[in-house]
């Protein structure tokens, strides 16, 4: 098993380029199922979850060619040999449930293993199924699989979501683009990844309006062309590096992203005392004075993103005063807390709220990654801890960060990836 070794204390300085967004690339890759013509998708991040997505597409019979050098993927969607996303792939990546909408739209049938829970919560898919049922799909759950059929094809419908679920919005959107008639997704998620998916679908000839707002309107078309799209930048990766810059009292510029992707996170960094500046295509966070505590509550976009909660908690351990974090999206997203405490943090949890005392000196220790964003939180804390921190189970990290240790080395961090002895 691989581990990350970090010797803390170096001020991070410099520029780092941001990769394509994992949470945009995954639905966009699944959207290629909607066309029999070849698709070309650029700015794909090199991540474990991307590899898993390509395995799912291969299992369905699509041919995929990853052109590593320019982070591009070509997909030949002419052959659809199967309508089943198998358990062994879905259990490693629950986002595979996003094949439901495209398969029902193209083939009128889909079989996907129930994703099962994950470390951060039960993560049911009931909102996905009820939206697709509005368009005429019928589902049966048997032996751990969701089996969906749309005998007479999908029909446009009004789909009110009980919660602005990102995945349910994406499945409904990808189904509606080929449904017969007009659809409306109400209480839709407004995340930038939804906007990116809509742009990718529009490059195929889809008729969509309102993406990025709570109401998305789609007029179904008969056929879609192959996709031509370049994936938007990863706002969660960008925020991770900005937190690393501030916790090490340095100055970090994230290249290839506009501040509009990061607005609520930048508001919090400014409130903590970070000096934030930006250009059209970059954002800089500079440490000028000791940080002060702040209270945050995660909520759907444009609120504070749950995917940035763990990283900001690490930063708060070095802020003056006590900071409060309320996690409203997932029921178990504080697993980084015991590990941060091993590094010397003082954090108390009451239900879905965490109280972080600061500033407290952190000292290196062996810690364990429990999920993707918790891993990033431990790296950020390790960069500020005195001495050596070893992070185990970094396979969680590799799902969502492209070569993070190389990017951090480029900013001056003393970090290396090694094999556990
Ligand atoms: C997406 O997950 C992201 N993953 C998550 O990022 C992100 O945390 C989440 O959106 C919220 O922003 C991808 O895009 C691949 P939801 P998703 O449906 O779509 C409940 C990361 O670290 N819910 O918006 O699964 C659900 O349990 C990952 O990159 C239902 O109850 O999130 C959760 O409490 C982690 N029924 C809440 O809604 C449903 O049918 C939000 O889930 C669907 C969701």
């Amino acid at each position: 098993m691989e581990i990350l070794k970090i010797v803390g204390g170096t001020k991070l300085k410099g520029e780092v380029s941001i990769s394509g967004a994992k949470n945009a690339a995954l639905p966009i890759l699944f959207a290629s199922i909607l066309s029999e013509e070849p698709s070309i998708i650029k700015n794909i991040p090199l991540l474990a979850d991307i590899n898993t997505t390509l395995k799912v597409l291969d299992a369905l019979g699509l041919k995929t060619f990853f052109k590593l050098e320019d982070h591009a993927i070509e997909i030949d969607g002419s052959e659809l040999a199967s309508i089943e996303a198998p358990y062994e792939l879905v259990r490693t990546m629950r986002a595979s449930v996003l094949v439901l909408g495209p398969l029902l739209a193209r083939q009128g049938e889909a079989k996907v293993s129930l994703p099962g829970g994950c470390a951060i919560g039960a993560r049911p898919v009931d909102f996905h199924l009820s939206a697709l049922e509005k368009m005429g799909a019928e589902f049966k759950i048997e032996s751990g699989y969701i089996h969906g059929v749309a005998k007479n094809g999908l029909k446009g419908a009004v789909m009110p979501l009980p919660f602005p679920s990102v995945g349910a919005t994406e499945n409904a959107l990808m189904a509606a683009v080929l449904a017969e008639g007009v659809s409306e997704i109400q209480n839709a998620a407004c995340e930038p990844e939804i906007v990116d998916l809509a742009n990718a679908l529009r490059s195929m000839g889809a008729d969509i309006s309102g993406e990025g707002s709570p109401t998305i309107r789609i007029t179904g078309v008969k056929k879609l062309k192959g996709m031509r799209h370049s994936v938007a930048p990863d706002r969660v990766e960008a925020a991770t590096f900005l937190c690393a810059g501030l916790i090490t009292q340095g100055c970090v510029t994230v290249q290839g992203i506009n501040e509009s992707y990061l607005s609520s996170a930048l508001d919090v960094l400014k409130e903590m005392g970070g000096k934030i500046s930006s250009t059209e295509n970059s954002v800089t966070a500079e440490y000028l004075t000791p940080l002060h505590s702040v209270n945050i509550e995660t909520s759907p976009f444009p609120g504070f993103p749950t995917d940035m909660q763990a990283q900001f908690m690490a930063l708060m351990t070095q802020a003056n005063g006590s900071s409060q974090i309320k996690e409203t999206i997932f029921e178990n997203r504080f697993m980084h807390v015991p590990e941060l405490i091993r590094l010397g943090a003082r954090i108390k949890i009451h239900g879905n709220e965490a109280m972080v005392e600061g500033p407290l000196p952190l000292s290196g220790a062996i810690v364990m990654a429990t999920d993707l964003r918790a891993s990033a939180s431990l790296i950020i804390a390790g960069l500020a801890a005195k001495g050596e921190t070893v992070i185990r189970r970094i396979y969680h990290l590799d799902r969502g960060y492209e070569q993070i240790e190389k990017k951090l080395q480029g900013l001056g961090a003393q970090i290396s990836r090694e094999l556990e002895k």
Side-chain angles (χ1 to χ4, degrees), residues 3 13 69 111 161 168 173 225-226 230 279 353 361 366 370 413:
I3 55 173
K13 290 193 187 306
E69 59 289 354
K111 211 170 165 215
L161 295 181
L173 180 56
K225 304 178 299 206
S230 183
T279 67
E353 292 185 5
I366 297 175
T370 50

Side-chain angles (χ1 to χ4, degrees), residues 22-23 123-127 165-167 307 329-330 333 373:
K22 166 178 86 80
N23 292 348
R123 302 186 71 184
V125 291
D126 49 335
F127 303 157
S165 152
V166 171
D307 289 351
I329 304 291
F330 290 108
R333 205 169 196 176
R373 305 305 173 183

Side-chain angles (χ1 to χ4, degrees), residues 345-366:
R346 191 175 300 156
I347 305 168
K348 286 221 177 339
I349 296 177
H350 301 285
N352 68 344
E353 292 185 5
M355 193 66 86
V356 185
E357 295 302 325
L360 279 157
L362 301 178
S363 52
I366 297 175

Side-chain angles (χ1 to χ4, degrees), residues 264-307:
S264 55
L266 296 182
D267 290 347
V268 172
L269 292 179
K270 285 175 195 163
E271 203 184 326
M272 294 181 81
K275 180 172 177 296
I276 304 297
S277 54
S278 58
T279 67
E280 177 57 29
N281 211 19
S282 74
V283 177
T284 299
E286 182 179 9
Y287 181 91
L288 290 182
T289 56
L291 301 175
H292 31 264
S293 58
V294 68
N295 297 336
I296 60 173
E297 179 171 329
T298 64
S299 61
F301 195 87
F304 188 87
T306 174
D307 289 351

Side-chain angles (χ1 to χ4, degrees), residues 22-24 26-27 49 93-95 97-98 118 120-130 163-170 189 191 193 235-236 299-301 305-307 328-331 333 371-373 400:
K22 166 178 86 80
N23 292 348
L26 300 185
D49 274 7
M93 189 189 70
R94 53 177 302 98
V97 74
L98 294 173
C118 85
I120 62 176
R123 302 186 71 184
V125 291
D126 49 335
F127 303 157
H128 299 236
L129 304 186
S130 53
F163 177 88
S165 152
V166 171
T169 302
E170 290 166 343
E191 273 70 4
E193 290 75 34
R235 58 196 171 104
V236 183
S299 61
F301 195 87
T306 174
D307 289 351
T328 71
I329 304 291
F330 290 108
E331 62 269 32
R333 205 169 196 176
D371 58 85
L372 169 55
R373 305 305 173 183

Side-chain angles (χ1 to χ4, degrees), residues 29 41-52 54 58 63-75 402:
L29 286 167
I41 304 152
K42 296 184 173 167
N43 201 32
I44 293 279
L46 308 183
L47 305 171
D49 274 7
I50 295 293
N51 296 336
T52 306
L54 296 180
D58 290 344
K63 296 180 190 58
T64 61
F65 314 94
F66 205 156
K67 298 164 75 178
L68 268 177
E69 59 289 354
D70 50 13
H71 284 62
I73 288 183
E74 286 183 23
I75 299 173
E402 179 178 345

Side-chain angles (χ1 to χ4, degrees), residues 48-251:
D49 274 7
I50 295 293
N51 296 336
T52 306
T53 301
L54 296 180
K55 284 183 190 151
V56 174
L57 293 176
D58 290 344
L60 298 175
L62 284 82
K63 296 180 190 58
T64 61
F65 314 94
F66 205 156
K67 298 164 75 178
L68 268 177
E69 59 289 354
D70 50 13
H71 284 62
I73 288 183
E74 286 183 23
I75 299 173
D76 170 0
S78 54
E79 299 290 317
L80 191 67
S82 161
I83 51 99
E84 179 173 330
Y87 172 70
E88 63 276 6
L89 290 175
V90 178
R91 74 181 174 82
T92 59
M93 189 189 70
R94 53 177 302 98
S96 311
V97 74
L98 294 173
V99 298
L100 269 180
L103 283 176
L104 285 168
R106 174 167 170 174
Q107 203 64 16
E109 188 179 8
K111 211 170 165 215
V112 183
S113 163
L114 265 170
C118 85
I120 62 176
R123 302 186 71 184
V125 291
D126 49 335
F127 303 157
H128 299 236
L129 304 186
S130 53
L132 294 167
E133 282 167 347
K134 293 270 190 314
M135 285 192 268
E138 290 167 8
F139 294 100
K140 276 208 301 281
I141 310 270
E142 52 203 11
S143 23
Y145 274 79
I146 304 167
H147 187 197
V149 287
K151 283 196 285 293
N152 313 315
L154 295 174
K155 303 277 182 286
V158 174
M159 294 168 273
L161 295 181
F163 177 88
S165 152
V166 171
T169 302
E170 290 166 343
N171 251 329
L173 180 56
M174 291 190 284
V177 293
L178 281 179
E180 187 191 325
V182 177
S183 296
E184 186 173 284
I185 306 170
Q186 298 174 344
N187 196 24
C190 302
E191 273 70 4
E193 290 75 34
I194 303 288
V195 173
D196 204 35
L197 173 60
N199 289 331
L201 290 166
R202 206 174 278 121
S203 79
M204 303 172 83
D207 181 346
I208 303 168
S209 63
E211 71 279 4
S213 85
T215 305
I216 305 177
R217 278 186 198 81
I218 307 104
T219 302
V221 294
K222 283 246 176 300
K223 262 177 89 62
L224 288 170
K225 304 178 299 206
M227 185 191 295
R228 295 291 179 276
H229 186 72
S230 183
V231 175
D234 194 318
R235 58 196 171 104
V236 183
E237 183 196 23
T240 303
F241 285 117
L242 295 178
C243 286
L246 288 179
I247 203 170
T248 57
Q249 302 185 6
C251 178

